[in-house]
Amino acid sequence: MSARTGGPEIDQLIQLLARLPGLGPRSARRATLHLIKKKDSLMSPLAAALARAVDAVKTCEICGNVDTVSPCGICADPRRKEQGLLIVVEDVADLWAMERAGIGMALYHVLGGTLSPLDGIGPEDLSIDALVKRVETGEVKEVVLAVNATVEGQTTAHYITDRLAPFGVNVTRLAHGVPVGGELDYLDEGTLSQALKARTRFGDQNT
Amino acid sequence: MQWSSEGLIIGTRRHGENAMILEVMTPDRGRHLGLVRGGRSRRYAAVLQPGNSVLITWRARLDEHLGTYQVEAKTLRAAALMESRRRLYLSQLLCEHLRLLPERDPHERLYLEALAMLDNEADPLTLGRALARFELRLLDDLGFGLDLTSCAATGVTHDLRFVSPRSARAVSAEAGKPYADRLLPLPAFLTGAGDAEPGDLAEAFRLTGHFLAVHIWQARDISPPATRDHLISRLVEPV
């Protein structure tokens, strides 16, 4: 018989918090205790914020991003539409990462994963058809495939390239190479080889 | 229990937040799974990719346990595979084919043939020929081998032009002529009676595809690998 920490409400809170990424039962108990100690200043506002988010959060009908409106703020921005640049990402977290990088005025398309035969994920399970429809409209000038540099990510990229081939749109992908802070000695030979193949002329920039 | 071997990574699956379940094809222990602690860390990101060859040490208290792997890179070819669509599709297809094999059952010839195909940047015809033979051997190792040694009707060992879709046995040109529309064409290179012509590849993959579909994919209720069609179209009609 397991020892009870508190009432059933507290036990349930611990169990739910323990299901969050990065938290286990021990850290969930610590978080619960912290919330209980700061009931008015943290627990109540957090509960209210969660309740509001549950009601308001929507998945964008165009790109698959999460926002409180659909179409999302990015898809509704007319300046981004004018650029005609569409960045394809695997997940919403990748979209947020690209936005944090400040790459500029681009639209996005969230695939919802990658082709993975091992997990039974085929083209019909991803939003590839929706991507093809967006490109079909002719408003997109360039599609950037910003998928992970994994075998599954690159297989998905090649598949999308095949699907977009009839539309004549410019399809590009992110460069693979040496990351900032990366020491050559510690890089795998595949990455080094790709970085060497994709080398660029040094000192061309007028800076 | 402990052993060490080299192996080809044919699948990875996330386990929890930090670990990875690694599926490796080894020469002497066949398809073998194991847990890699910290397998989702950056340190392992470039190593634990399907298509890479690794040196593994497997440890477990009992033989029937999943066990843990200690992994060291041997040949990191995933980055090079990603550069070529044809090689990437080939790598994915070979991994899918090898995952059809039963666990912990050695199939050294298949392992060696898969490595040879991944490492040699062969022309489409040579690669197609090797892949068709690999699929024949896969069917054989799974217990559904084709008998291409003699004619099922007359017993002759020459001029074998067809395969019966039911019995999986070869049929000679003369005996098969009246039933040609119901038999599968048998390209000569599969019996060692000639070199492969570009048109032969499509027939060879139609033949292996039929028996893989009937005995494996349909029987196990799994979809045929999408990469197979993509790859075959590139081998039959190289771009």
Side-chain angles (χ1 to χ4, degrees):
Chain A
M1 189 178 158
S2 62
R4 267 185 56 177
T5 309
E9 293 84 0
I10 295 174
D11 282 343
Q12 194 191 9
L13 182 58
I14 293 170
Q15 280 167 19
L16 290 173
L17 284 173
R19 284 160 63 177
L20 294 176
L23 293 187
R26 189 179 287 269
S27 41
R29 274 198 295 275
R30 285 181 61 203
T32 305
L33 262 179
H34 187 74
L35 286 170
I36 291 168
K37 280 179 191 166
K38 305 209 171 196
K39 195 176 166 188
D40 294 329
S41 63
L42 188 60
M43 199 177 191
S44 296
L46 179 66
L50 281 172
R52 280 199 303 276
V54 166
D55 291 336
V57 165
K58 290 183 176 73
T59 301
C60 176
E61 67 208 51
I62 298 173
C63 71
N65 186 19
V66 287
D67 204 331
T68 51
V69 287
S70 180
C72 68
I74 292 175
C75 290
D77 188 341
R79 290 171 302 169
R80 288 179 187 256
K81 283 183 191 167
E82 280 170 20
Q83 295 292 319
L85 182 68
L86 182 69
I87 300 178
V88 179
V89 291
E90 286 181 23
D91 206 358
V92 175
D94 299 329
L95 188 158
W96 290 354
M98 295 298 286
E99 278 293 284
R100 277 201 309 275
I103 43 94
M105 307 304 279
L107 293 168
Y108 294 92
H109 191 86
V110 181
L111 289 174
T114 49
L115 297 173
S116 173
L118 193 58
D119 298 317
I121 300 173
E124 64 283 354
D125 301 307
L126 306 176
S127 65
I128 294 175
D129 287 339
L131 172 67
V132 173
K133 276 182 193 157
R134 286 181 81 177
V135 172
E136 221 171 0
T137 60
E139 289 172 7
V140 178
K141 293 173 195 156
E142 181 179 349
V143 175
V144 183
L145 298 171
V147 289
N148 291 338
T150 58
V151 169
E152 288 174 351
Q154 295 307 305
T155 305
T156 311
H158 283 303
Y159 179 79
I160 291 172
T161 311
D162 286 346
R163 290 284 306 271
L164 297 181
F167 306 108
V169 67
N170 187 22
V171 181
T172 56
R173 70 158 200 199
L174 296 184
H176 297 167
V178 183
V180 174
E183 294 177 35
L184 297 190
D185 195 22
Y186 286 93
L187 282 183
D188 68 286
E189 50 262 43
T191 308
L192 265 179
S193 156
Q194 284 199 326
L196 195 62
K197 276 184 199 158
R199 65 188 183 275
T200 53
R201 194 174 178 84
F202 194 62
D204 271 356
Q205 298 89 344
N206 297 320
T207 52
Chain B
M1 307 288 302
Q2 178 174 330
W3 51 261
S4 295
S5 176
E6 63 171 56
L8 173 72
I9 298 180
I10 57 171
T12 57
R13 196 179 286 239
R14 291 175 176 189
H15 184 78
E17 288 186 27
N18 304 311
M20 189 85 93
I21 292 177
L22 193 66
E23 201 169 354
V24 179
M25 187 70 192
T26 63
D28 45 355
R29 292 170 191 275
R31 187 170 72 91
H32 202 288
L33 280 80
L35 184 84
V36 182
R37 292 210 171 91
R40 290 181 63 190
S41 66
R42 283 187 186 180
R43 183 185 147 214
Y44 281 118
V47 179
L48 302 186
Q49 293 292 324
N52 280 342
S53 283
V54 286
L55 297 169
I56 44 172
T57 300
W58 181 82
R59 282 192 193 93
R61 195 168 61 80
L62 296 174
D63 194 38
E64 55 264 35
H65 284 176
L66 173 67
T68 57
Y69 274 142
Q70 214 172 8
V71 184
E72 209 178 306
K74 184 172 181 262
T75 309
L76 301 181
R77 58 174 80 75
L81 295 175
M82 287 180 208
E83 287 299 296
S84 154
R85 183 176 307 179
R86 197 172 71 201
R87 293 186 72 201
L88 190 59
Y89 287 154
L90 171 72
S91 143
Q92 291 279 76
L93 179 62
L94 290 176
C95 290
E96 285 191 64
H97 277 345
L98 291 172
R99 283 200 297 265
L100 296 171
L101 294 165
E103 268 187 66
R104 304 186 181 193
D105 191 26
H107 296 272
E108 193 179 1
R109 288 291 298 270
L110 284 176
Y111 168 78
L112 293 173
E113 284 178 16
L115 277 190
M117 277 189 274
L118 288 174
D119 284 334
N120 298 330
E121 288 191 48
D123 60 280
L125 194 59
T126 311
L127 181 61
R129 209 167 43 199
L131 182 61
R133 287 195 177 123
F134 177 87
E135 291 191 337
L136 274 186
R137 187 176 297 283
L138 177 71
L139 279 164
D140 202 26
D141 281 18
L142 288 168
F144 302 104
L146 279 65
D147 181 359
L148 306 179
T149 53
S150 61
C151 175
T154 62
V156 298
T157 55
H158 61 276
D159 207 19
L160 303 172
R161 295 283 174 80
F162 304 99
V163 174
S164 160
R166 287 196 182 173
S167 68
R169 292 191 64 191
V171 180
S172 68
E174 196 184 344
K177 205 174 173 185
Y179 315 99
D181 56 331
R182 278 177 279 168
L183 297 172
L184 295 162
L186 172 63
F189 80 91
L190 287 181
T191 55
D195 276 340
E197 300 293 326
D200 292 341
L201 286 185
E203 288 183 346
F205 288 121
R206 197 177 140 217
L207 180 70
T208 53
H210 169 80
F211 290 105
L212 282 168
V214 170
H215 296 304
I216 315 293
W217 300 324
Q218 287 168 17
R220 298 188 190 183
D221 197 20
I222 54 176
S223 328
T227 44
R228 189 174 184 270
D229 290 341
H230 293 306
L231 179 63
I232 289 171
S233 66
R234 276 181 167 71
L235 295 176
V236 173
E237 296 163 10
V239 184

